[in-house]
Amino acid sequence: MAIESERKFLVASEDWRHLVTHSVAIRQFYIVAGSDRSLRMRVKNGEEAKLTLKLGAAERNREEFAYSSTLSEAETMARFALGDVIEKTRNIVPHDMLRFEVDEFAGPLSGLILAELETTEEVPDAYLPPWLGREVTGDARFYNANLALNGMPDITS
């Protein structure tokens, strides 16, 4: 078990693109999606499958349990997916001593770009990169399970 401590942001500019050090294609879907728990299957680059259980309200800190799975199991479970299967490219973008994961969504969520910062440290806004936009941590509309169930959120509100 791990405690996930995550901040999430909209992305305001394209300035992050030239800073990417690594990218991975992700396909993920949800088998359980509730206000205080989710069970998702994630496949990275079509090679590695992982089943993850997250517990706790959709806030900054949640308990997370992750288990390796096979691609065959992932394909079987995909038949039970709730809502849409999420497809995205995760880009690793370092900034000073921080590591951002910038997710560029495809398919029905095409055009949505979110940046995540996983850290237990308090990071003052002055240390955040200028390409970040509005913080949406705790805004359940931007959690992947809700994106799968409800589609593209209105990013103007």
Side-chain angles (χ1 to χ4, degrees):
M1 175 193 77
I3 299 291
E4 175 188 60
S5 183
E6 173 182 277
R7 291 176 72 184
K8 192 173 282 205
F9 302 85
L10 294 172
V11 174
S13 79
E14 301 285 315
D15 294 344
W16 59 274
R17 290 192 185 277
H18 72 281
L19 304 170
V20 173
T21 60
H22 179 73
S23 297
V24 61
I26 293 175
R27 182 175 176 264
Q28 68 185 43
F29 56 87
Y30 289 83
I31 298 166
V32 174
S35 61
D36 67 345
R37 68 196 64 205
S38 67
L39 181 64
R40 78 155 186 245
M41 176 63 76
R42 175 179 282 171
V43 178
K44 291 183 178 179
N45 287 332
E47 300 170 353
E48 173 191 349
K50 190 172 283 191
L51 188 66
T52 302
L53 173 65
K54 292 187 180 188
L55 299 170
E59 297 293 332
R60 185 171 173 179
N61 297 307
R62 297 186 289 172
E63 293 185 58
E64 182 176 297
F65 303 83
Y67 305 94
S68 293
S69 187
T70 67
L71 294 175
S72 176
E73 289 172 335
E75 289 307 313
T76 299
M77 287 184 207
R79 295 186 313 213
F80 300 96
L82 300 174
D84 293 327
V85 173
I86 292 178
E87 295 183 33
K88 61 186 178 180
T89 301
R90 172 157 290 169
N91 302 284
I92 306 305
V93 181
H95 175 76
D96 291 333
M97 299 301 287
L98 304 173
R99 178 183 180 265
F100 288 85
E101 295 175 341
V102 179
D103 289 342
E104 189 169 14
F105 292 82
L109 297 170
S110 185
L112 180 62
I113 303 175
L114 295 172
E116 296 179 358
L117 173 63
E118 289 191 29
T119 179
T120 56
E121 303 294 320
E122 288 298 321
V123 178
D125 290 349
Y127 291 107
L128 299 174
W131 46 264
L132 287 179
R134 175 171 51 102
E135 184 165 7
V136 293
T137 303
D139 185 338
R141 297 175 303 159
F142 294 96
Y143 283 87
N144 283 288
N146 287 331
L147 293 172
L149 293 172
N150 305 320
M152 181 74 83
D154 178 5
I155 60 173
T156 61
S157 61

